[in-house]
C-alpha cells in the first residue's frame, strides 16, 4: 500500500488522493496550499483529473453493498475508532487546521474534539435507525417502511470548518450504509489528508471512504454530474449550490445543500446589553466572521441603540488578532484568502458611500503579511444597503436602529437567506413572539452560535435544501422502501 509520502525533493509535504483504501500516485498537476496568515507554502495537493474521480466513485460503488450488509453496530465501531484517533492526535490536527485555515489554535482544538464527538454521536444511532409498520386498509396485510442507504454520497467541503465538515458528511453517510467520496476545499485540504491518514489506520474496508482533491470546476463538476453518485452533500456558497443543482439535474441526483446565511441579531429594549454585546462580538470574531450562523447584521431598538453601539464598538476594538501560530492568546486570525479580503474591503467601502458610519475598524489591518481586516462596527445602516443583504463572511458588524420587534422581524425576514437568527430580550413573551414571526431554520434566544449536534441545522430560502445533524440529518442519508405483505 502506498502511504502518504513526503516529497524527497523539498521540505513541503505532497499529499495524495485516497482511493479504494490506498493513497494513490498522482501524476497530473498539483495545487499549492498556503498559510493565510503569512503566505508560507504549506503543501502540494493533487488537482485530480476525471479518471481519478471516476476511480473513486467506482471504488465507492463496489464497496457499498458489502458495507451496507454489515450490522450498523459494526459500522459504528469504525467511527468510534476514528474518533479515538482524532483525540489522540488533537494537537497535531489543530495545528494543521490553523496553519492552512487561519483560525486560532483554541478554536481549531475545539473543532477537532467536536469532530470526534460528532463521530461518536452519529455512531450512537446504530441501534436507533428505525423503519415503520403502517396500518393497512386490507385484512391480513402489513405495510412495512424500511430505511435504506442511498448508495454513494459525494461530500463537497468548504474551507471555514473543513475538519468538522468531513465528519458532518461522512458519519451519517457511513452509519446508514452509504459509502462516500469527499472533495475537500482546495483552500484547506491538508487537514482532510491528515484525517484520512488516521482513518487508514483503522482498516476501514477499501472504497468506503475516498478523498479526491481538486478545484470546484474540475473535481467538483466531475463528481456532481456523475450518474453513479446517489446524493450530493454540499456546504458552500449560493452560487456554487446553484451550479451543483444544474449539474445534478440531468441525473436527478438527491441534494443536501447548506449555502450560508445573513443572520440577523435583534436586540430589544429590555435586553441584557452586556450579554448581547459579548455574544454578538464573539460570534463575529470567531473564525474571523467566516461562519454561516454568526451574527451578520444587527437590528437594535432605538431606546438602547446608542449605549449598545458604544459597548459593541469598545468590545470589537479590543479584539486580539494576528497570526495564530505566533501568538497563543488571540481571538481572531486572518481571512482565508485575498478574494475574501477584497470582498470585505469592497462591501465596507460601498456601505460608507451609501451613508454608513465607521465607528471602529473599517480597513485592512496594518500588521504585516496575511489577509487581516480590522474588527469593524458600522452604524447608520439601512436595509437596502448591500452590507445588510449580502453575506460578508468577515469581522464586520453593520447596525440598523429599529422602533419595534415587528419592524426588526420584517427587515430580518426580507432576506434571500434564512439559516439562523438571534433575539436578545429578558421577556419570554417577546422571545416566543419573535420565534413565531421569524422565517428562519434556527433561532437563538440570548445567545449566538454554535448549533447542537443533536439539533437540525437547516435553512429556508437560498440558505439551502435539507439539513444536517440529529435524527433528521441522519435520515437525509437514507431512502425509504415500502413493502406490502399480504398474508
Ligand atoms: O465557496 P464555494 P467560496 C460563502 C461565503 C464566502 C463565499 C465564497 O460568503 O465568502 O461563499 O466562498 C467547491 N461544483 N460560503 O468561493 O465556491 C469548492 O471547490 C462542485 C459560505 O470558497 O462555494 C469548495 O470545495 N463544487 C459557506 C466548495 O465548493 C464546486 C462556506 C466551496 O466553495 C464548484 C463557504 C462546482 N461548480 C463559503 N465550485 C457556509 N455555508 O458556511 C466550487 N466548488
Amino acid at each position: 500500500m502506498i502511504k502518504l509520502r513526503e516529497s524527497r525533493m523539498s521540505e513541503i509535504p505532497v499529499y495524495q488522493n485516497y482511493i479504494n483504501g490506498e493513497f494513490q500516485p498522482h501524476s497530473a498537476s498539483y495545487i499549492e496550499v498556503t498559510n493565510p496568515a503569512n503566505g508560507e507554502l504549506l503543501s502540494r495537493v493533487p488537482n485530480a483529473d476525471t479518471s481519478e474521480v471516476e476511480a473513486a466513485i467506482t471504488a465507492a460503488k463496489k464497496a457499498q453493498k458489502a458495507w451496507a450488509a454489515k450490522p450498523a453496530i459494526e459500522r459504528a465501531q469504525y467511527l468510534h475508532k476514528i474518533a479515538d484517533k482524532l483525540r489522540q492526535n488533537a494537537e497535531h490536527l489543530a495545528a494543521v487546521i490553523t496553519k492552512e485555515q487561519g483560525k486560532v489554535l483554541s478554536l481549531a482544538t475545539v473543532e477537532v474534539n467536536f469532530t470526534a464527538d460528532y463521530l461518536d454521536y452519529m455512531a450512537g444511532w446504530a441501534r436507533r435507525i428505525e423503519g415503520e409498520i403502517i396500518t393497512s386498509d386490507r385484512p391480513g396485510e402489513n405495510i412495512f417502511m424500511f430505511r435504506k442507504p442511498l448508495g454513494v454520497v459525494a461530500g463537497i467541503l468548504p474551507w471555514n470548518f473543513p475538519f468538522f465538515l468531513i465528519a458532518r458528511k461522512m458519519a451519517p453517510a457511513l452509519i446508514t450504509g452509504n459509502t462516500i467520496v469527499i472533495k475537500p476545499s482546495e483552500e484547506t485540504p491538508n487537514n482532510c489528508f491528515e484525517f484520512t491518514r488516521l482513518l487508514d489506520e483503522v482498516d476501514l474496508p477499501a472504497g468506503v471512504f475516498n478523498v479526491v482533491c481538486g478545484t470546484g470546476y474540475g473535481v467538483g463538476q466531475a463528481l456532481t454530474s456523475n450518474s453513479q453518485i446517489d446524493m450530493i452533500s454540499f456546504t458552500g456558497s449560493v452560487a456554487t449550490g446553484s451550479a451543483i443543482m444544474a449539474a445534478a439535474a440531468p441525473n436527478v441526483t438527491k441534494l443536501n445543500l447548506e449555502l450560508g446565511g445573513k443572520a440577523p441579531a435583534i436586540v430589544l429594549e429590555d435586553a441584557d446589553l452586556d450579554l448581547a454585546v459579548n455574544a454578538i462580538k464573539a460570534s463575529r470574531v470567531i473564525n474571523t466572521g467566516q461562519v454561516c450562523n454568526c451574527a451578520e447584521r444587527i437590528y437594535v431598538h432605538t431606546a438602547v441603540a446608542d449605549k449598545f453601539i458604544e459597548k459593541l464598538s469598545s468590545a470589537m476594538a479590543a479584539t486580539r488578532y494576528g497570526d495564530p501560530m505566533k501568538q497563543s492568546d488571540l481571538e481572531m486570525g486572518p481571512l482565508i484568502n485575498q478574494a475574501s479580503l477584497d470582498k470585505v474591503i469592497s462591501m465596507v467601502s460601498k456601505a460608507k458611500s451609501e451613508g454608513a458610519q465607521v465607528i471602529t475598524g473599517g480597513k485592512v489591518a496594518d500588521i504585516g503579511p496575511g489577509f487581516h481586516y480590522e474588527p469593524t462596527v458600522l452604524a447608520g445602516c439601512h436595509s437596502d444597503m448591500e452590507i445588510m443583504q449580502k453575506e460578508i463572511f468577515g469581522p464586520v458588524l453593520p447596525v440598523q436602529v429599529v422602533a419595534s420587534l415587528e419592524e426588526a422581524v420584517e427587515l430580518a425576514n426580507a432576506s434571500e437567506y434564512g439559516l439562523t437568527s438571534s433575539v436578545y430580550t429578558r421577556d419570554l413573551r417577546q422571545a416566543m413572539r419573535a420565534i413565531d414571526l421569524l422565517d428562519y431554520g434556527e433561532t437563538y434566544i440570548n445567545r449566538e452560535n454554535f448549533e447542537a449536534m443533536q439539533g437540525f441545522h437547516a435553512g429556508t430560502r437560498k440558505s439551502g435544501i435539507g439539513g444536517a445533524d440529529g435524527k433528521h440529518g441522519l435520515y437525509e442519508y437514507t431512502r425509504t422502501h415500502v413493502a406490502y405483505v399480504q398474508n
Side-chain angles (χ1 to χ4, degrees):
M1 183 183 294
I2 297 163
K3 290 285 172 185
L4 196 74
R5 69 177 158 86
E6 306 277 312
S7 165
R8 299 205 184 283
M9 286 175 289
S10 75
E11 299 293 304
I12 306 298
V14 179
Y15 290 104
Q16 297 173 324
N17 292 322
Y18 188 73
I19 300 171
N20 204 27
E22 294 187 8
F23 289 101
Q24 302 278 355
H26 168 81
S27 55
S29 63
Y30 282 84
I31 297 171
E32 296 195 332
V33 180
T34 53
N35 183 332
N38 55 30
E40 174 201 4
L41 178 63
L42 297 173
S43 71
R44 292 192 174 88
V45 297
N47 185 14
D49 58 28
T50 313
S51 67
E52 290 167 288
V53 174
E54 280 168 4
I57 296 171
T58 302
K61 197 91 195 164
K62 200 165 150 235
Q64 194 267 325
K65 289 274 182 283
W67 177 247
K70 284 184 186 293
I73 198 67
E74 268 183 43
R75 297 197 293 268
Q77 295 316 315
Y78 290 101
L79 297 187
H80 287 309
K81 281 185 201 163
I82 298 165
D84 290 345
K85 294 261 176 203
L86 302 190
R87 290 193 188 93
Q88 287 156 16
N89 292 275
E91 204 176 322
H92 165 69
L93 293 166
V96 171
I97 297 169
T98 290
K99 277 189 199 161
E100 66 180 329
Q101 201 275 340
K103 67 185 59 177
V104 299
L105 265 174
S106 54
L107 179 59
T109 306
V110 169
E111 184 171 349
V112 173
N113 289 320
F114 192 81
T115 303
D117 291 351
Y118 197 88
L119 289 166
D120 282 339
Y121 167 75
M122 278 295 169
W125 278 98
R127 291 196 174 98
R128 297 183 178 86
I129 300 166
E130 293 177 346
E132 291 171 26
I133 303 168
I134 303 160
T135 309
S136 170
D137 292 347
R138 298 184 180 205
E141 183 185 67
N142 283 303
I143 305 175
F144 298 94
M145 195 184 84
F146 299 91
R147 283 196 186 273
K148 296 190 170 178
L150 289 151
V152 178
V153 175
I156 301 184
L157 311 184
W159 42 260
N160 58 343
F161 287 93
F163 197 74
F164 168 54
L165 266 290
I166 305 170
R168 200 181 225 175
K169 300 198 185 303
M170 69 88 93
L174 265 51
I175 198 66
T176 50
N178 302 280
T179 54
I180 195 162
V181 179
I182 291 274
K183 187 196 99 56
S185 167
E186 57 273 45
E187 301 285 348
T188 54
N190 296 351
N191 68 82
C192 185
F193 287 113
E194 294 293 330
F195 177 102
T196 307
R197 186 160 66 169
L198 295 169
L199 172 142
D200 187 57
E201 291 173 5
V202 311
D203 289 325
L204 195 65
V208 169
F209 179 92
N210 307 272
V211 176
V212 186
C213 186
T215 61
Y217 55 83
V219 170
Q221 180 71 23
L223 264 177
T224 53
S225 60
N226 192 297
S227 62
Q228 299 303 299
I229 293 291
D230 300 290
M231 175 183 180
I232 300 164
S233 180
F234 168 74
T235 303
S237 64
V238 173
T240 299
S242 294
I244 287 174
M245 288 179 84
N251 299 314
V252 198
T253 310
K254 179 173 179 175
L255 293 169
N256 179 282
L257 306 175
E258 202 265 74
L259 307 179
K262 183 70 192 169
I266 300 174
V267 181
L268 296 176
E269 66 271 39
D270 65 342
D272 178 333
L273 288 191
D274 290 321
L275 181 149
V277 162
N278 289 337
I280 292 170
K281 179 234 159 140
S283 106
R284 201 57 192 164
V285 300
I286 198 166
N287 218 24
T288 322
Q290 302 166 121
V291 188
C292 60
N293 55 357
C294 69
E296 272 262 341
R297 53 190 164 130
I298 300 172
Y299 300 105
V300 60
H301 193 280
T302 183
V304 292
D306 289 347
K307 211 165 164 191
F308 172 79
I309 291 169
E310 190 190 313
K311 281 174 182 277
L312 182 69
S313 302
S314 306
M316 286 291 275
T319 304
R320 299 181 304 279
Y321 61 91
D323 181 340
M325 288 308 286
K326 286 201 177 136
Q327 285 164 270
S328 59
D329 65 338
L330 297 179
E331 297 166 86
M332 187 174 99
L335 289 157
I336 185 72
N337 55 25
Q338 187 66 50
S340 289
L341 182 62
D342 289 345
K343 177 175 157 192
V344 174
I345 294 168
S346 152
M347 288 183 81
V348 171
S349 152
K350 196 156 180 219
K352 284 197 302 197
S353 72
E354 290 168 334
Q357 300 122 43
V358 178
I359 308 299
T360 188
K363 57 184 191 309
V364 173
D366 186 17
I367 55 168
F371 309 114
H372 301 277
Y373 197 85
E374 292 181 349
T376 298
V377 175
L378 300 174
C381 296
H382 48 84
S383 54
D384 48 5
M385 287 178 175
E386 180 196 57
I387 205 137
M388 296 298 277
Q389 293 295 336
K390 298 275 173 225
E391 195 171 34
I392 309 167
F393 240 50
V396 178
L397 279 167
V399 186
Q400 177 166 359
V401 177
V402 292
S404 64
L405 168 65
E406 286 69 21
E407 185 189 356
V409 168
E410 196 180 323
L411 294 168
N413 286 344
S415 167
E416 64 179 21
Y417 292 100
L419 188 57
T420 71
S421 48
S422 62
V423 181
Y424 294 84
T425 176
R426 289 183 169 103
D427 183 343
L428 184 61
R429 285 169 308 173
Q430 294 255 75
M432 293 311 293
R433 182 156 167 71
I435 292 168
D436 193 32
L437 296 174
L438 281 164
D439 285 336
Y440 277 79
E442 258 169 50
T443 298
Y444 308 114
I445 303 296
N446 294 324
R447 76 189 275 271
E448 289 294 331
N449 46 345
F450 288 109
E451 67 275 17
M453 62 180 79
Q454 66 272 36
F456 186 53
H457 185 58
T460 59
R461 301 186 285 280
K462 288 188 184 172
S463 285
I465 297 174
D469 311 333
K471 177 173 75 178
H472 302 287
L474 179 85
Y475 286 158
E476 295 263 320
Y477 289 79
T478 63
R479 64 177 180 85
T480 55
H481 184 175
V482 177
Y484 298 85
V485 181
Q486 185 73 57
N487 293 332

